[in-house]
């Protein structure tokens, strides 16, 4: 009886110590995997993916991915610093790459800030703000420690009583981590649960807003994702949708979070930065006079977009 009480008390203590809280959404999760444990394997996996992929570099599209990603990264780092939690990002080595794969509509961020965007998603994101929706969501998974949470849950389920008896080893934990990030595979995408996806949606919406991207683009992006699926006849669901919940449901949830997101957006120091469309990033050889004309036309386009973004 005493032994059982001791085990129960140990379990409560473990869960209390290992409980992490998302500073932006307030969601609590189990997480006792440190950055020092998960990031090295994450970085190795990322390197493996890049070595087996064709990367797009030096183009307007590649710069767009880097610039949008960097802005979100800077906004997130500034926020974590403002709340005294910058240590949560220790060990992060941010990197943003564009993979040449027009048939793949997908993007992801591994723990530690390693981001990959597939060129097939750019016609759907269309604008910087649309891309920010995608990158904000994927970066939020990393910032919220969803990968570490999945590993922690799996670890507990595998070792069971050993964990409570204190006889687990670092080797056992490493084995669980390797199950999620096998170095030999081409790519490993964690299948997050609905609660984690909803958490990433809200957090991603907030950090893209902090970076000065209009959060009202988020529902519009998901509408375009729905159309992309319909255009394929429903037989070729984009990878980005196959690993995420129903778009209609998440649009409703995003609208519920819009008021708070708009507060972040309206106070963002990046708010007045220009927004480029996908078609504009494809044109890399225009003259100065053409640029002037395009910029004038872009302003009109943005004015129309701003009207379309009016939150209802």
């Amino acid at each position: 009886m005493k032994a059982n009480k001791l085990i129960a008390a140990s379990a409560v203590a473990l869960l209390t110590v290992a409980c992490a809280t998302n500073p932006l959404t307030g969601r609590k999760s189990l997480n006792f995997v440190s950055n020092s444990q998960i990031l090295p394997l994450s970085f190795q996996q990322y390197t493996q993916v890049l070595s087996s992929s064709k990367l797009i570099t030096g183009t307007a599209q590649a710069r767009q991915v880097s610039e949008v990603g960097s802005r979100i990264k800077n906004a997130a780092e500034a926020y974590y610093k403002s709340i005294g939690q910058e240590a949560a990002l220790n060990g992060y080595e941010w990197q943003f790459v564009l993979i040449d794969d027009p048939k793949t509509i997908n993007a992801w961020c591994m723990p530690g800030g390693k981001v990959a965007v597939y060129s097939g998603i750019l016609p759907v994101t269309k604008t910087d703000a649309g891309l920010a929706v995608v990158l904000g969501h994927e970066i939020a998974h990393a910032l919220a420690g969803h990968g570490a949470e999945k590993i922690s849950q799996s670890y507990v389920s595998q070792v069971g009583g050993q964990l409570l008896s204190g006889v687990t080893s670092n080797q056992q934990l490493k084995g669980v981590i390797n199950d999620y990030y096998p170095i030999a595979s081409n790519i490993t995408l964690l299948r997050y649960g609905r609660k984690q996806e909803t958490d990433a949606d809200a957090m991603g919406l907030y950090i893209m807003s902090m970076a000065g991207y209009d959060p009202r683009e988020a529902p519009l992006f998901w509408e375009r994702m729905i159309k992309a699926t319909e255009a394929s006849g429903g037989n070729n669901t984009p990878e980005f949708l196959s690993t995420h919940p129903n778009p209609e449901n998440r649009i409703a949830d995003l609208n519920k979070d819009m008021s708070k997101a708009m507060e972040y957006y309206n106070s963002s120091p990046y708010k007045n930065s220009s927004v480029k469309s996908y078609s504009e990033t494809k044109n890399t050889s225009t003259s100065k006079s053409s640029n002037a004309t395009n910029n004038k036309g872009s302003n009109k386009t943005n004015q129309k977009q701003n009207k379309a973004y009016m939150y209802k």
Side-chain angles (χ1 to χ4, degrees), residues 31-156:
N31 185 352
F32 51 80
V33 180
S34 68
N35 283 354
S36 63
Q37 291 172 306
I38 193 174
L39 297 193
L41 291 172
S42 172
F43 295 165
Q44 289 179 44
Q45 170 69 357
Y46 188 74
T47 299
Q48 176 69 25
V49 171
L50 299 193
S51 66
S52 61
S53 303
K54 181 181 179 181
L55 304 184
I56 298 176
T57 60
T59 67
Q61 296 98 318
R63 287 192 294 272
Q64 182 190 36
V65 169
S66 178
E67 290 169 4
V68 173
S70 294
R71 233 166 83 171
I72 293 176
K73 164 229 171 194
N74 291 338
E77 287 181 337
Y79 172 75
Y80 272 76
K81 184 176 181 179
S82 73
I83 61 174
Q85 293 191 25
E86 60 266 40
L89 305 183
N90 285 349
Y92 269 59
E93 296 180 6
W94 295 93
Q95 189 173 351
F96 302 91
V97 301
L98 178 61
I99 295 177
D100 186 7
D101 188 347
K103 293 184 179 181
T104 299
I105 302 177
N106 198 22
W108 42 264
C109 176
M110 299 191 75
K114 298 296 189 179
V115 179
V117 175
Y118 293 80
S119 59
I121 202 170
L122 295 182
V124 184
T125 59
K126 289 189 178 294
T127 65
D128 285 2
L131 181 58
V133 174
V134 173
L135 292 182
H137 175 89
E138 296 304 327
I139 289 173
H141 276 306
L143 294 176
H146 291 160
E149 178 186 359
K150 292 281 287 185
I151 291 171
S152 297
Q153 292 171 339
S154 179
Y155 184 50
V156 170

Side-chain angles (χ1 to χ4, degrees), residues 279-280 282-295:
S279 60
E280 287 172 330
K282 292 181 69 176
N283 190 348
T284 59
S285 61
T286 56
S287 65
K288 290 185 178 180
S289 58
S290 295
N291 282 336
T293 301
N294 288 340
N295 289 336

Side-chain angles (χ1 to χ4, degrees), residues 14-36:
L14 173 66
L15 295 177
T16 300
V17 172
C19 184
T21 302
N22 186 322
L24 272 171
T25 66
R27 178 177 179 267
K28 297 183 182 299
S29 61
L30 177 67
N31 185 352
F32 51 80
V33 180
S34 68
N35 283 354
S36 63

Side-chain angles (χ1 to χ4, degrees), residues 183-198:
I183 306 305
S185 69
N186 289 329
I187 184 170
T188 300
L189 292 176
L190 287 175
R191 303 286 174 158
Y192 297 112
R194 183 170 298 278
K195 291 182 179 180
Q196 293 166 325
E197 287 294 341
T198 300

Side-chain angles (χ1 to χ4, degrees), residues 293-305:
T293 301
N294 288 340
N295 289 336
K296 188 174 181 179
S298 178
N299 289 334
K300 292 181 179 179
T301 299
N302 288 336
Q303 290 174 1
K304 291 181 180 179
Q305 288 176 333

Side-chain angles (χ1 to χ4, degrees), residues 86-288:
E86 60 266 40
L89 305 183
N90 285 349
Y92 269 59
E93 296 180 6
W94 295 93
Q95 189 173 351
F96 302 91
V97 301
L98 178 61
I99 295 177
D100 186 7
D101 188 347
K103 293 184 179 181
T104 299
I105 302 177
N106 198 22
W108 42 264
C109 176
M110 299 191 75
K114 298 296 189 179
V115 179
V117 175
Y118 293 80
S119 59
I121 202 170
L122 295 182
V124 184
T125 59
K126 289 189 178 294
T127 65
D128 285 2
L131 181 58
V133 174
V134 173
L135 292 182
H137 175 89
E138 296 304 327
I139 289 173
H141 276 306
L143 294 176
H146 291 160
E149 178 186 359
K150 292 281 287 185
I151 291 171
S152 297
Q153 292 171 339
S154 179
Y155 184 50
V156 170
S157 66
Q158 286 188 31
V159 301
Q162 295 180 50
L163 179 65
L164 302 181
S165 302
V167 297
T168 57
S169 67
N170 287 334
Q171 190 61 37
Q172 286 174 303
L173 178 58
K174 184 176 180 180
V176 175
I177 294 175
N178 277 323
D179 287 341
Y180 280 94
Y181 297 104
I183 306 305
S185 69
N186 289 329
I187 184 170
T188 300
L189 292 176
L190 287 175
R191 303 286 174 158
Y192 297 112
R194 183 170 298 278
K195 291 182 179 180
Q196 293 166 325
E197 287 294 341
T198 300
D199 193 46
D201 275 346
M203 187 179 194
L205 191 71
Y206 298 151
I207 59 176
M208 72 169 281
S209 302
M210 293 176 185
Y213 295 108
D214 194 328
R216 291 168 291 192
E217 171 65 19
L220 301 181
F221 164 76
W222 285 108
E223 289 174 1
R224 292 195 294 271
M225 286 295 290
I226 294 173
K227 291 180 180 179
T229 305
E230 293 174 346
S232 68
N235 297 320
N236 186 25
T237 301
E239 178 68 18
F240 194 74
L241 273 184
S242 69
T243 56
H244 294 73
N246 185 286
E248 289 89 348
N249 293 339
R250 76 191 324 152
I251 287 174
D253 289 337
L254 287 168
N255 283 329
K256 292 178 183 178
D257 297 322
M258 197 62 67
S259 178
K260 183 177 178 180
M262 287 302 296
E263 292 179 10
Y264 287 125
Y265 174 61
N266 288 328
S267 61
S268 171
Y270 301 98
K271 183 181 176 183
N272 295 323
S273 298
S274 61
V275 177
K276 294 174 291 184
S277 68
Y278 170 70
S279 60
E280 287 172 330
T281 63
K282 292 181 69 176
N283 190 348
T284 59
S285 61
T286 56
S287 65
K288 290 185 178 180

